[in-house]
Amino acid sequence: MSVDLNQLRDIHLPEAVSWWPPAPGWWAVLAAAILLPLLIMLLRRWLRNRRWRREARAAIAQLKQQHSQRPETGQEVVERLSVLMRRIATTRFPAAEVASLSGDQWLQFLDRHSKRGNEFQQGAGRLLADAPYRNRHVNIPEVEQLLKLCEHWVTALPGGRR
């Protein structure tokens, strides 16, 4: 059995491997490269939006503790709470909307962004407008109600800046 080498065909190389479409692993790498920075950005925003609420609750809890340890400081607690509420409002809402409010307008603003009706205008929230100008000490139950009301207001606020 002799084979004539002239009758053999030349070696045919396969076609070059195409770079498109990529293998499934490359699709996964591309998806991770797009989604990972997006997820990190969303997570940071979510944590930042929760931080202000956590700090506000901690400040209110500190005022509650001060009031429970020394009830005679009710006037001071209300004044500090008033400053805290104003700080929260000016950081969560446009300054032009909040900065000039005082008295009943301030209480109306708080009620508008509360889910409890008119408790700032007609309930314990009146202390925020009246207490700094009172000469007498405020009642202990009124201060406790005001602290609870302000804590609920902070909890009910939406997370993002408007």
Side-chain angles (χ1 to χ4, degrees), residues 100-116:
S100 64
L101 298 177
S102 63
D104 286 335
Q105 291 176 337
W106 169 238
L107 298 178
Q108 288 171 2
F109 170 82
L110 293 173
D111 278 335
R112 255 194 327 269
H113 298 285
S114 173
K115 295 181 179 174
R116 290 193 163 195

Side-chain angles (χ1 to χ4, degrees), residues 58-71:
I60 292 174
Q62 186 179 20
L63 290 174
K64 277 184 179 179
Q65 183 180 8
Q66 176 186 348
H67 183 65
S68 67
Q69 289 175 350
R70 294 184 7 225

Side-chain angles (χ1 to χ4, degrees), residues 11 48-49 58 62 90 110 135 157:
I11 296 175
R48 185 178 57 238
N49 285 341
Q62 186 179 20
T90 54
L110 293 173
N135 288 334
L157 278 182

Side-chain angles (χ1 to χ4, degrees), residues 111-142:
D111 278 335
R112 255 194 327 269
H113 298 285
S114 173
K115 295 181 179 174
R116 290 193 163 195
N118 292 337
E119 285 198 36
F120 282 101
Q121 292 177 46
Q122 298 172 358
R126 289 263 352 134
L127 280 177
L128 289 177
D130 299 343
Y133 308 106
R134 288 185 182 181
N135 288 334
R136 63 177 178 83
H137 292 287
V138 292
N139 294 337
I140 293 172
E142 285 180 316

Side-chain angles (χ1 to χ4, degrees), residues 15-141:
E15 291 183 27
V17 177
S18 172
W19 62 274
W20 193 261
W26 287 111
W27 285 108
V29 168
L30 178 66
I34 292 172
L35 292 177
L36 191 61
L38 181 66
L39 289 174
I40 289 172
M41 183 182 71
L42 290 173
L43 179 65
R44 288 182 67 192
R45 180 180 291 170
W46 182 72
L47 288 173
R48 185 178 57 238
N49 285 341
R50 289 178 43 121
R51 187 180 73 211
W52 71 266
R53 194 181 316 269
R54 196 171 43 248
E55 289 173 359
R57 284 186 191 155
I60 292 174
Q62 186 179 20
L63 290 174
K64 277 184 179 179
Q65 183 180 8
Q66 176 186 348
H67 183 65
S68 67
Q69 289 175 350
R70 294 184 7 225
E72 69 276 1
T73 62
Q75 181 79 20
E76 180 184 336
V77 167
V78 172
E79 289 172 7
R80 283 184 170 179
L81 187 60
S82 178
V83 170
L84 176 66
M85 292 294 284
R86 212 166 268 282
R87 269 187 27 224
I88 293 169
T90 54
T91 58
R92 304 312 308 161
F93 298 96
E97 182 182 343
V98 178
S100 64
L101 298 177
S102 63
D104 286 335
Q105 291 176 337
W106 169 238
L107 298 178
Q108 288 171 2
F109 170 82
L110 293 173
D111 278 335
R112 255 194 327 269
H113 298 285
S114 173
K115 295 181 179 174
R116 290 193 163 195
N118 292 337
E119 285 198 36
F120 282 101
Q121 292 177 46
Q122 298 172 358
R126 289 263 352 134
L127 280 177
L128 289 177
D130 299 343
Y133 308 106
R134 288 185 182 181
N135 288 334
R136 63 177 178 83
H137 292 287
V138 292
N139 294 337
I140 293 172

Side-chain angles (χ1 to χ4, degrees), residues 1-9:
M1 169 159 68
S2 113
V3 177
D4 187 15
L5 292 179
N6 291 333
Q7 291 178 349
L8 291 178
R9 293 186 180 179

